[in-house]
Amino acid sequence: MTGLVIVGAGGFARETAQAVADLGDFTLLGHLDDNPALHGTEVDGVPVLGGCDLVHELPEARVVICVGNPRDYAARARLVRRFGLPEDRYATVVHPTAAVSATSEIGPGSVLLAHCVLTAAVRVGAHVAVMPHVVLTHDDVVEDHVTLTSGVRLGGGVRLERGAYVGSGALVREGTTVGAWSQIGMGSAVLDDVPPGEVWVGSPARRLREAGAPALAELETRTVGGPLT
C-alpha cells in the first residue's frame, strides 16, 4: 500500500489517523509536527517522525495536512504554500462510512470523517476539512481550505468561499454565500450572505466582529488555483 504522512499531531490529525486505519488504503507512516517536544514520541500509537518539512525527504509518501483551530484556521493554507508540493502528492481521505454521491467531487488533500453526506453535485475543493456528521446537499460548492466542523448542515446551492470556517452544528440557508476566510459560530443559523473576513454568530447569525489576523492575511493571498465554478 501507498505510504501516507499526516502533517500535524493534534485533534484533527488524530481523527484523520483513525479514518486512515478504518479505510485501509494507505500505510500510515506517522505524523509530522513542528513542535520539537513531540519528535520521537507516539500519538495514539502513531509515531511523530519529526518536523513538517520532512515531507521533502519522503518523496514517495502521500501527504495530508491536518492542522488548524478556530483561532488560526488559515494554518493549512500557509503549509500548502510553504511545501510547494504538486497536487499528486496529496492524498484524499474519505472515511468508509461517508456517503458521497457519484455526481460529487472532492479535491486533493481533503479529509471527510465519519458519516458525512454529499447528496448530489456537491463540489469540495482542495485541503478541505469535513468533520463527522456534516451534510452537504445538492449543488453546494465548498472552496479550498474550508473547515466544516461536526454536525454542520448546508442547504442546497450554498457556496463557502476559500478558507471559510463553519462551527459545530451551524446551519446555512440554501442559496447563501459565506465569504472567504469568514467564521461562523457554533450553532448559528446563517440566513443571509456573509461578507469575507468577518465573524458571524447567533440565530439568525449576525456580524460579531472582524476575523482574526491570520484569516485576514489570507484574504490577500491565493493558494491553490482559483475559485470553483
Side-chain angles (χ1 to χ4, degrees):
M1 289 189 291
T2 303
L4 174 73
V5 291
I6 296 175
V7 177
F12 177 41
R14 294 168 56 207
E15 292 173 335
T16 301
Q18 296 300 311
V20 169
D22 292 342
L23 187 60
D25 288 348
F26 300 100
T27 298
L28 181 55
L29 303 178
H31 295 277
L32 305 180
D33 196 284
D34 283 338
N35 181 357
L38 295 176
H39 299 172
T41 68
E42 292 188 349
V43 178
D44 298 336
V46 179
V48 181
L49 304 174
C52 295
D53 288 326
L54 278 177
V55 293
H56 301 295
E57 299 180 26
L58 300 165
E60 301 303 317
R62 304 290 294 281
V63 179
V64 64
I65 300 176
C66 298
V67 301
N69 58 63
R71 294 169 300 283
D72 182 9
Y73 47 95
R76 287 197 305 281
R78 294 198 303 272
L79 280 170
V80 169
R81 260 195 321 278
R82 171 175 152 187
F83 293 159
L85 298 175
E87 283 190 356
D88 61 9
R89 280 293 307 277
Y90 288 105
T92 300
V93 176
V94 179
H95 193 277
T97 63
V100 180
S101 67
T103 55
S104 296
E105 303 174 9
I106 305 168
S110 290
V111 175
L112 275 65
L113 295 180
H115 305 293
C116 295
V117 177
L118 280 62
T119 63
V122 176
R123 302 190 66 189
V124 174
H127 308 289
V128 173
V130 185
M131 307 302 180
H133 294 281
V134 168
V135 176
L136 308 179
T137 55
H138 68 87
D139 304 303
D140 288 339
V141 175
V142 179
E143 294 188 11
D144 300 341
H145 306 297
V146 165
T147 301
L148 293 159
T149 57
S150 300
V152 167
R153 302 288 192 268
L154 305 186
V158 167
R159 187 178 199 96
L160 303 182
E161 293 184 342
R162 182 170 54 101
Y165 183 103
V166 185
S168 298
L171 308 175
V172 183
R173 186 179 187 173
E174 66 274 4
T176 57
T177 295
V178 176
W181 300 104
S182 281
Q183 185 175 21
I184 305 302
M186 294 186 300
S188 297
V190 178
L191 305 182
D192 300 299
D193 291 348
V194 176
E198 296 187 357
V199 177
W200 282 41
V201 299
S203 181
R206 294 288 185 266
R207 186 186 192 276
L208 176 65
R209 58 175 171 81
E210 192 173 63
L216 294 178
E218 286 299 324
L219 281 174
E220 307 302 321
T221 306
R222 301 299 305 182
T223 52
V224 181
L228 298 176
T229 57

